């Protein structure tokens, strides 16, 4: 057997073995890159401050809430002319002269009560203050519910990220395991904790959305549309 005949089989075996390793390693590298990208993307979605878009959303929600609030509408209606109803009185009188031509004169008398006028002015100031107070309280409620919804939504994102991270690790670990060795998720305390936290955060997010929508006077769907618009 010549040297070339001895080298060729070993050479082709080495090439085949290297190709096998290469084929196996490529999907693993790509999968790890995609996983890191998804994790980084999740971190980028986290919010650390109230943005200008949030402030615009709050102003729009406050404006809608002021038009829908029964307390504000009642306070605004009370600011009408009702405090001045008893301030001024109007009287009519007439006189007829002569028996043939029936000449008549009519008189209109207007009487202003200065004491009632002062009282009505003071009452009007009180009603205006009550109206402004109702608007301020509604604004504070909207801001509070909006912030609570942002916090609940972010907590739900974090819980989803943690659960996805756990699921990714479990999937990678189970590749090299036999079916009888794979992870029993229900019996895994970390998995149960991740699922429980995910459920709790989703529940808090929904409740926060319902509270915000009720305070504004809109449906949850309409409120979400305003919040999520670009």
């Amino acid at each position: 057997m010549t040297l070339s005949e001895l080298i060729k089989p070993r050479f082709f075996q080495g090439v085949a073995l290297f190709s096998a390793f290469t084929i196996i390693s490529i999907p693993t590298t790509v999968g790890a890159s995609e996983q890191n990208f998804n994790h980084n993307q999740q971190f980028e979605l986290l919010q650390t401050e109230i943005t200008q878009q949030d402030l615009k959303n709050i102003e729009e929600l406050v404006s809608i809430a002021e038009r829908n609030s029964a307390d504000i509408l009642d306070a605004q209606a009370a600011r009408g002319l009702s405090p001045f109803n008893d301030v001024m009185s109007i009287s009519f009188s007439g006189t007829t002269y002569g028996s043939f031509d029936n000449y008549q004169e009519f008189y209109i008398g207007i009487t202003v009560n200065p004491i009632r006028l002062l009282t009505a002015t003071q009452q009007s100031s009180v009603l205006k203050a009550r109206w402004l107070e109702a608007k301020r309280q509604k604004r504070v409620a909207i801001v509070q519910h909006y912030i609570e919804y942002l916090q609940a939504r972010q907590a739900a994102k974090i819980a989803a990220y943690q659960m996805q991270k756990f699921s990714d690790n479990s999937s990678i670990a189970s590749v090299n395991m036999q079916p009888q060795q794979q992870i029993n998720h229900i019996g895994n305390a970390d998995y149960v904790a991740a699922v429980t936290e995910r459920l709790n955060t989703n529940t808090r997010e929904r409740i926060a959305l319902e509270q915000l929508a009720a305070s504004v006077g809109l449906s949850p769907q309409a409120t979400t549309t305003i919040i999520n618009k670009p």
Side-chain angles (χ1 to χ4, degrees):
M1 179 180 295
T2 63
L3 181 61
S4 59
E5 293 176 350
L6 180 64
I7 293 176
K8 286 182 179 179
R10 295 182 180 274
F11 173 75
F12 286 111
Q13 289 177 0
V15 171
L17 183 61
F18 175 76
S19 301
F21 278 116
T22 303
I23 294 173
I24 294 175
S25 62
I26 289 176
T28 305
T29 304
V30 173
S33 300
E34 292 178 352
Q35 181 179 355
N36 292 333
F37 174 77
N38 292 332
H39 291 173
N40 293 334
Q41 187 177 19
Q42 288 287 348
F43 277 119
E44 290 176 358
L45 294 176
L46 297 182
Q47 189 169 345
T48 59
E49 61 183 5
I50 305 301
T51 64
Q52 291 296 323
Q53 184 61 47
D54 289 328
L55 297 178
K56 292 180 181 179
N57 294 341
I58 290 174
E59 292 299 330
E60 183 174 355
L61 294 174
V62 168
S63 179
I64 297 173
E66 290 178 352
R67 297 194 298 267
N68 296 335
S69 173
D71 294 337
I72 295 178
L73 294 177
D74 289 342
Q76 185 176 3
R79 293 186 60 208
L81 297 177
S82 58
F84 298 92
N85 289 338
D86 299 331
V87 171
M88 183 174 57
S89 61
I90 301 175
S91 60
F92 297 90
S93 62
T95 304
T96 303
Y97 297 96
S99 56
F100 297 102
D101 53 3
N102 292 328
Y103 178 72
Q104 297 179 346
E105 292 182 353
F106 294 94
Y107 301 93
I108 299 176
I110 300 176
T111 304
V112 177
N113 190 322
I115 297 178
R116 291 181 178 177
L117 178 60
L118 178 60
T119 303
T121 303
Q122 294 175 348
Q123 184 180 2
S124 179
S125 299
V126 173
L127 293 176
K128 180 180 180 180
R130 186 174 300 169
W131 173 65
L132 294 176
E133 181 181 0
K135 293 181 65 175
R136 286 192 294 267
Q137 289 179 350
K138 176 56 66 174
R139 180 180 182 83
V140 170
I142 297 299
V143 173
Q144 179 179 355
H145 290 312
Y146 188 90
I147 298 303
E148 289 175 353
Y149 174 70
L150 286 185
Q151 293 174 338
R153 185 172 65 175
Q154 178 143 305
K157 289 181 180 180
I158 296 174
Y161 168 76
Q162 294 295 338
M163 187 173 177
Q164 182 63 39
K165 183 179 179 181
F166 179 85
S167 300
D168 292 342
N169 292 338
S170 299
S171 300
I172 295 174
S174 62
V175 170
N176 297 323
M177 291 183 179
Q178 298 298 325
Q180 64 271 16
Q181 295 177 333
Q182 292 182 356
I183 297 175
N184 184 357
H185 291 302
I186 299 179
N188 189 302
D190 294 335
Y191 177 78
V192 172
V195 171
T196 303
E197 181 64 16
R198 175 69 168 151
L199 176 61
N200 291 337
T201 54
N202 284 341
T203 302
R204 290 195 294 269
E205 180 182 3
R206 184 63 189 184
I207 293 175
L209 176 60
E210 293 285 348
Q211 290 176 339
L212 175 60
S215 184
V216 175
L218 294 176
S219 65
Q221 293 77 10
T223 304
T224 304
T225 301
I226 294 175
I227 295 175
N228 294 335
K229 69 180 181 180

